[in-house]
Amino acid sequence: MDIAALRKSYEKAELSEDASHADPLRQFEQWLHEAIRAELPEPNAMTLATVGSDLRPSTRVVLIKGCDERGIVWYTNYDSRKGRELAGNPYAALQFHWVELERVVRIEGVVEKVSPEESDAYFASRPLDHRIGAWASPQSQVIDSRAVLVANAAKYAAQFLLNPPRPPHWGGYRLKPDAWEFWQGRKSRLHDRLRYRLDNGRWVRERLAP
């Protein structure tokens, strides 16, 4: 297979200044809802990029769990690699890629933990096995085998029964955007790219060359 020869012509839609929202959050909500209505696989999946103290970037896929004027929310283990990197450098980037719609959204900004009350409420809404899993997995740490996870899950299931509390090392993050970019694939690689950046508290929308 010649990977370099793989190509696709993007022709599904367009993104113009006139048809887009002046507020990037509204534009994002429209595209997210369209991805959900199109029944795409995991339309809520986003790539999270962080940078460690060694200046090496790292990425992983997480799931968006909320968005409003305050920012984009997801939940994870605070002791994981991403948690440790965010503790040292709170700036991060998110990316949604809705392949079937030929769309990408990039979001950059500063990250902070959500309130304990928000984390408690979301944790309580999770399925029981997910709540047990938050206790069972020492995320990003080296373990001897999968048997460690199975044993931990059994231990905490017996300890907490049907009411595991939220672990102190687990909770939510919120990225407060200061830059958004919306990418719509177009024919002949002349893609549409609209960037929104904050200027004195106001969003400025501008077109970028593809």
Side-chain angles (χ1 to χ4, degrees), residues 62-73:
V62 296
L63 301 178
I64 183 175
K65 293 299 179 180
C67 67
D68 55 26
E69 289 75 12
R70 297 173 297 168
I72 309 295
V73 174

Side-chain angles (χ1 to χ4, degrees), residues 10-82:
Y10 300 98
E11 302 180 16
K12 286 186 176 294
E14 63 183 43
L15 179 63
S16 69
E17 290 82 348
D18 293 337
S20 61
H21 292 275
D23 182 342
L25 178 60
R26 302 283 87 81
Q27 182 64 38
F28 172 71
E29 290 175 333
Q30 176 185 324
W31 274 19
L32 176 60
H33 294 160
E34 289 177 2
I36 294 171
R37 288 197 298 270
E39 299 183 345
L40 304 188
E42 294 199 282
N44 55 333
M46 57 187 184
T47 300
L48 165 65
T50 57
V51 176
S53 59
D54 57 0
L55 303 184
R56 293 175 67 96
S58 62
T59 64
R60 72 287 292 160
V61 176
V62 296
L63 301 178
I64 183 175
K65 293 299 179 180
C67 67
D68 55 26
E69 289 75 12
R70 297 173 297 168
I72 309 295
V73 174
W74 68 94
Y75 291 86
T76 190
N77 187 314
Y78 290 145
D79 295 334
S80 63
R81 178 178 177 179
K82 56 186 170 296

Side-chain angles (χ1 to χ4, degrees), residues 70-167:
R70 297 173 297 168
I72 309 295
V73 174
W74 68 94
Y75 291 86
T76 190
N77 187 314
Y78 290 145
D79 295 334
S80 63
R81 178 178 177 179
K82 56 186 170 296
R84 296 194 304 270
E85 292 183 345
L86 287 170
N89 175 13
Y91 292 95
L94 301 170
Q95 178 171 293
F96 292 83
H97 188 191
W98 296 307
V99 177
E100 294 82 355
L101 299 179
E102 301 173 354
R103 289 173 174 173
V104 173
V105 179
R106 297 176 57 247
I107 313 166
E108 300 175 16
V110 65
V111 178
E112 62 183 10
K113 290 180 179 178
V114 306
S115 70
E117 293 77 15
E118 288 179 87
S119 290
D120 287 342
Y122 174 69
F123 188 79
S125 75
R126 305 181 85 209
L128 177 60
D129 59 338
H130 293 196
R131 285 178 279 156
I132 293 297
W135 283 96
S137 174
Q139 193 173 115
S140 299
Q141 296 182 28
V142 175
I143 57 176
D144 290 334
S145 69
R146 184 174 178 81
V148 173
L149 299 178
V150 175
N152 285 349
K155 179 181 73 173
Y156 288 114
Q159 178 179 341
F160 296 126
L161 301 178
L162 298 179
N163 295 295
R166 178 174 65 89

